Amino acid sequence: MNNSATITIAAADTAAVKRRKKLDQCHQYQSLIPGLPDDIARICLYHVQPSILYSVCHSWRRLVYSPSFPPFLSIYSLLKPSKSEENSVQFANFDPISAKWNLLPPPPLNPPLRLLLRHRSFISRHLPIQSISVSGNFILLAATTDPLLPALSRPLVFNPLTRKWTPGPRFETPRRWCVAGASKGVVYVASGIGSSYNPEVARSVEKWDLKSNCTKYSCNHHDRNKVWKWEKMSGLKDGKFSREAIEAVGWRGKMCMVNVKGDAAKEGIIYDVGSDTWKEMPEGMLVGWRGPVAAMEEEVIYTVDESKGALRKYDPESDSWIMILENEMLKGAQHMAAAGGRVCVVCGGGDGIAVVDVTAQPLSLVVVGTPVGFQVLDVHILPRMNQLDSESKNEC
């Protein structure tokens, strides 16, 4: 027994020594490309696909996640436990290079943010949590808290490159079940309800220009007199857009929206952000709007017919929707996002995210699985998060 114990302890000591040697070697300085200064090597490596750099060596892997490396796009989602009725959600990021899900740091609020997903008054549905992506930022805009009140007095902005949350300007009227969208770096909210239904709130429209900010992360002497604030815009003609959480899609200087989701009869309107005016949605666009909709770089609008699982894009010349592909994985789609040549669609039931490369010939579709025990509630496409120093060391 004593000999066995001695051998076991000796083996453990040997393994510990090897681990220390490996860490010491890893933490020693390694040039990116032997024989080249690092600044020259970086210029060369910036032109290589991140997926290739990630698989070669640790120093190149750390470079991919460093602040100096051009950020690649990744998926951001809101996750909920799949078998729990608790009101618990997680903000998460899927990194396509490492193929890993990572949790975002929670918003630094006291008391902590509490968002309601379930309530006894709404047995058959989730209460909506509304978020958008603007200028490389993830923005949480509206949600519900106990007792059925707006959860946010101001938006919360997450910057993936700094990995920090920043509070936005305070809402004049906090709201939920509203219209939310963005165009050209400007956030728009409209309609919805506050602590109770108010016809003035249900018709109101406000905008917030993210470019007019002065924070510790981005400010120069030309911006000292600029602050984040909400501005009132021309209102809606009625309160019909306060019945659901509505996604307003930014497209060619306009905001497009419908007041009911899915195949049900609906009304559609378009807001011109330049002239601050409203008009009816073209008939062909409205007829084909049968599920979630997203715009690629605000130039091409895509939609998924949630009952047929058909991905289509809008042709403004013919006022019609052109079929791209039909796939079972797209049936029941509730949310989608488009950027970087990819269209990401939350699969029915939130059990995965279908990613369609609309630039590929032939078209390709892959499914990103969710973390075990979780379902996806929404999807956004934003730059990847920078890696913390501690995470970089753990890569070794």
Side-chain angles (χ1 to χ4, degrees), residues 33-299:
I33 299 178
L36 281 181
D38 276 357
D39 55 345
I40 303 298
R42 288 191 191 96
I43 295 174
C44 298
L45 295 176
Y46 287 167
H47 298 281
V48 181
Q49 288 291 335
S51 57
I52 297 175
L53 298 177
Y54 183 87
S55 62
V56 173
C57 62
H58 291 300
S59 61
W60 288 10
R61 182 174 297 186
R62 288 193 293 271
L63 174 66
V64 167
Y65 294 98
S66 69
S68 64
F69 193 86
F72 53 85
L73 295 176
S74 60
I75 293 173
Y76 290 76
S77 293
L78 191 63
L79 305 178
K80 68 170 288 290
S82 54
K83 295 183 179 180
S84 172
E85 295 302 313
E86 295 182 4
N87 288 298
S88 60
V89 295
Q90 299 279 1
F91 300 100
N93 159 245
F94 178 76
D95 182 339
I97 304 302
S98 64
K100 294 179 181 178
W101 284 93
N102 303 291
L103 295 181
L104 274 61
L109 299 177
N110 188 18
L113 187 64
R114 176 172 168 76
L115 306 179
L116 279 186
L117 275 177
R118 309 288 298 184
H119 191 274
R120 59 183 178 274
S121 300
F122 301 90
I123 298 176
S124 62
R125 64 181 293 181
H126 287 136
L127 297 177
I129 298 174
Q130 294 179 261
S131 56
I132 60 174
S133 53
V134 186
S135 303
N137 298 289
F138 171 84
I139 302 181
L140 183 62
L141 274 176
T144 302
T145 191
D146 272 328
L148 291 179
L149 295 173
L152 299 167
S153 61
R154 61 178 71 213
L156 296 174
V157 184
F158 180 75
N159 184 325
L161 302 184
T162 63
R163 298 175 64 119
K164 293 183 178 180
W165 291 88
T166 303
R170 188 175 293 276
F171 294 114
E172 181 173 328
T173 303
R175 49 184 103 199
R176 57 196 177 96
W177 289 6
C178 59
V179 176
S183 176
K184 309 298 184 185
V186 180
V187 179
Y188 293 85
V189 295
S191 196
I193 58 176
S195 56
S196 60
Y197 179 80
N198 182 311
E200 291 187 9
V201 173
R203 293 192 299 268
S204 67
V205 180
E206 292 181 298
K207 76 172 185 179
W208 159 36
D209 188 349
L210 265 73
K211 297 185 294 296
S212 63
N213 71 317
C214 183
T215 71
K216 63 181 178 180
Y217 303 119
S218 61
C219 187
N220 57 54
H221 65 281
H222 297 297
D223 297 324
R224 297 298 180 184
N225 60 342
K226 296 181 179 179
V227 294
W228 275 350
K229 63 180 180 179
W230 290 98
E231 301 177 50
K232 288 187 176 182
M233 310 304 292
S234 295
L236 297 157
K237 65 179 182 180
D238 53 44
K240 293 182 179 179
F241 283 77
S242 61
R243 300 169 182 171
E244 288 199 54
I246 302 298
E247 297 174 0
V249 180
W251 174 65
R252 301 185 180 183
K254 300 176 177 63
M255 301 290 294
C256 308
M257 65 202 81
V258 297
N259 67 333
V260 178
K261 296 182 178 181
D263 285 331
K266 57 180 69 72
E267 293 183 20
I269 54 176
I270 293 179
Y271 174 71
D272 188 312
V273 302
S275 62
D276 188 26
T277 56
W278 296 88
K279 67 178 182 180
E280 298 296 318
M281 180 177 286
E283 182 179 357
M285 176 183 280
L286 179 61
V287 169
W289 198 298
R290 299 178 179 176
V293 177
M296 185 83 69
E297 324 303 346
E298 298 192 27
E299 281 298 321

